[in-house]
Amino acid sequence: MPSTGSPSAVSTASQPKSAAVASDGTLFVAEINSVEAFRSNQRVLEHKPNFVPSALAAFEGVVAFGGEDQKVRLNSWDGKTLTETAVLEGNKGVISALAFSPDGRLLASGDSSGKIVLYDVREQKMITSRWSFHTARINSIAWTSDSLHCASASLDTHVYIWSVARPMKNIGIKNAAPGGANAVHWLEKEGLANLATTGADGCVRLWAVKFHE
């Protein structure tokens, strides 16, 4: 059998809550009272913010921190230091999921109340706060490869698909996962879009999606 290599491990200061990888291979880990950065199995940064971090996302040299204070902070990363560049507000609960669009232009921020806020990263401003059909914590957010649609999974058992071009339109998959929807992931091939969902019932489901025209 082919070798899969030996696993590596590194200790964190406290229980990890979220993780994201920057373009230079740096792994950022949100913990109870800090954010640590690791590269080549070595700790390269321990950042202690003045808020409790709850979610992370990264795109190239931009790292987004979500906090229990309901705010999202954008940071620039040069491989050695983090520099805060903006504080984004609009969520109504603890930030529970963050996801940059594949082109890096947009950031979706989900929270414990079930609300998702869409931000323009470059302009550092809110685009819409109308993605609010969920009624419980957002557990996962995933973008289509063209950055035009976003899917969300929630503790309320539902999955929604949102449109950037038409923020008032959505596709709802009600009761997609009994007990709560945990994660969403797009499977795209030859112009066809399928959405994989996982839930508390231990099942993975695949949905064929037809977007609004």
Side-chain angles (χ1 to χ4, degrees):
M1 294 180 64
S3 172
T4 58
S6 58
S8 59
V10 62
S11 297
T12 56
S14 59
Q15 181 179 353
K17 298 195 291 185
S18 182
V21 180
S23 59
D24 65 354
T26 302
L27 171 67
F28 290 89
V29 181
E31 301 163 17
I32 295 175
N33 294 308
S34 66
V35 175
E36 293 188 288
F38 301 89
R39 190 167 56 243
S40 300
N41 298 327
Q42 300 293 322
R43 182 183 290 105
V44 296
L45 177 76
E46 183 175 8
H47 176 63
K48 292 187 176 295
N50 58 1
F51 62 93
V52 179
S54 54
L56 288 178
F59 178 82
E60 295 184 350
V62 180
V63 183
F65 297 164
E68 292 190 2
D69 61 356
Q70 306 178 11
K71 299 177 182 179
V72 176
R73 292 165 173 84
L74 298 181
N75 300 266
S76 64
W77 170 248
D78 63 4
K80 294 181 180 179
T81 59
L82 279 170
T83 303
E84 187 175 293
T85 57
V87 179
L88 307 176
E89 300 186 49
N91 286 96
K92 300 300 182 183
V94 173
I95 308 301
S96 54
L98 290 169
F100 284 98
S101 59
D103 61 10
R105 186 175 63 88
L106 306 172
L107 175 67
S109 172
D111 64 38
S112 58
S113 75
K115 186 173 185 176
I116 299 171
V117 179
L118 182 65
Y119 295 104
D120 184 304
V121 176
R122 180 174 296 179
E123 298 295 329
Q124 301 177 352
K125 66 180 183 180
M126 181 193 301
I127 295 176
T128 184
S129 60
R130 296 178 181 272
W131 294 358
S132 54
F133 279 67
H134 285 294
T135 58
R137 184 182 67 235
I138 305 299
N139 288 327
S140 177
I141 298 173
W143 286 90
T144 52
S145 59
D146 58 10
S147 300
L148 296 180
H149 294 88
C150 182
S152 57
S154 170
L155 183 63
D156 65 7
T157 75
H158 308 320
V159 168
Y160 283 94
I161 300 165
W162 314 93
S163 169
V164 173
R166 305 173 72 180
M168 295 296 292
K169 290 284 188 179
N170 67 72
I171 300 170
I173 306 175
K174 300 296 183 66
N175 303 310
N182 294 335
V184 282
H185 182 79
W186 288 100
L187 302 171
E188 300 172 82
K189 185 177 181 180
E190 298 177 352
L192 299 177
N194 291 315
L195 183 67
T197 65
T198 65
D201 60 349
C203 294
V204 177
R205 295 174 173 85
L206 193 63
W207 310 84
V209 177
K210 182 178 181 180
F211 298 116
H212 294 295
E213 297 181 356

